[in-house]
Amino acid sequence: MPTSKKEQIIFGLMMCTGMVLVMMTFNLWHTGILGKLSPLEILFQFLLCFVIAFLVESFIVGPVARKIAFSLPFDKSNKILGVLVMSFFMVIGMVLIMSLYGMISAYLADQLNGVSVLGTYLHTIARNFSLALPYQLIILGPLVRYVFGKFIKSNGPIMPTVNKSV
């Protein structure tokens, strides 16, 4: 849907905001940390996670997902199928990397005492994927595309009409 670099950045910021807000809240709640953090600590966690997610999406996952999705043999003129394929690969990449970020955060907070790191990582991937994919496909993706199309794409440069009748 975005056609310029500026639009890609705005679209990415919108998607990252929605995904990070829900996924971070879900993971903090799931690990029992949500109730233990102050609002300022939660805001800090959100900002840090958002910056990392946006950079990962912009420079790693987005380009790779685009390359994979559009190298597949499907009807590229079918926009809905293109969105679904692209969303699927974006979610896979983001879940793999951001789950690793979560594991590193948990390790640094000394929350992985005596647990299998690989087992915990695989469990985290499965848990995050089970929320991220339906949330992206059913709720956030359509919402962001609607808002983006309504407010960002419609606010493009307005060309003045020239009266040629003299």
Side-chain angles (χ1 to χ4, degrees), residues 21-156:
L21 186 64
V22 167
M23 297 305 295
M24 188 192 87
T25 302
F26 172 70
N27 280 294
L28 289 176
W29 169 78
H30 187 270
T31 57
I33 298 172
L34 187 61
K36 297 176 183 174
L37 297 176
S38 72
L40 193 58
E41 290 171 317
I42 292 172
L43 178 62
F44 176 75
Q45 287 289 325
F46 173 79
L47 291 174
L48 181 62
C49 189
F50 174 81
V51 168
I52 290 170
F54 182 72
L55 292 173
V56 166
E57 186 272 334
S58 298
F59 298 108
I60 300 170
V61 174
V64 171
R66 225 174 274 110
K67 186 177 257 186
I68 293 171
F70 292 106
S71 69
L72 295 175
F74 69 91
D75 180 11
K76 310 292 191 285
S77 65
N78 184 338
K79 291 188 186 251
I80 293 175
L81 186 56
V83 165
L84 291 174
V85 170
M86 184 66 187
S87 294
F88 179 74
F89 285 108
M90 288 292 294
V91 168
I92 288 174
M94 291 303 289
V95 164
L96 289 173
I97 293 175
M98 294 308 291
S99 294
L100 183 61
Y101 163 78
M103 293 290 299
I104 292 168
S105 296
Y107 175 79
L108 293 175
D110 204 27
Q111 296 172 333
L112 296 179
N113 296 335
V115 298
S116 163
V117 174
L118 179 61
T120 302
Y121 179 59
L122 294 175
H123 175 76
T124 303
I125 289 170
R127 185 183 69 230
N128 287 339
F129 188 77
S130 70
L131 174 62
L133 187 64
Y135 174 61
Q136 170 61 251
L137 294 177
I138 299 168
I139 299 168
L140 186 65
L143 177 64
V144 167
R145 278 186 281 286
Y146 172 78
V147 171
F148 183 82
K150 187 90 169 158
F151 298 106
I152 306 302
K153 291 294 271 191
S154 64
N155 290 339

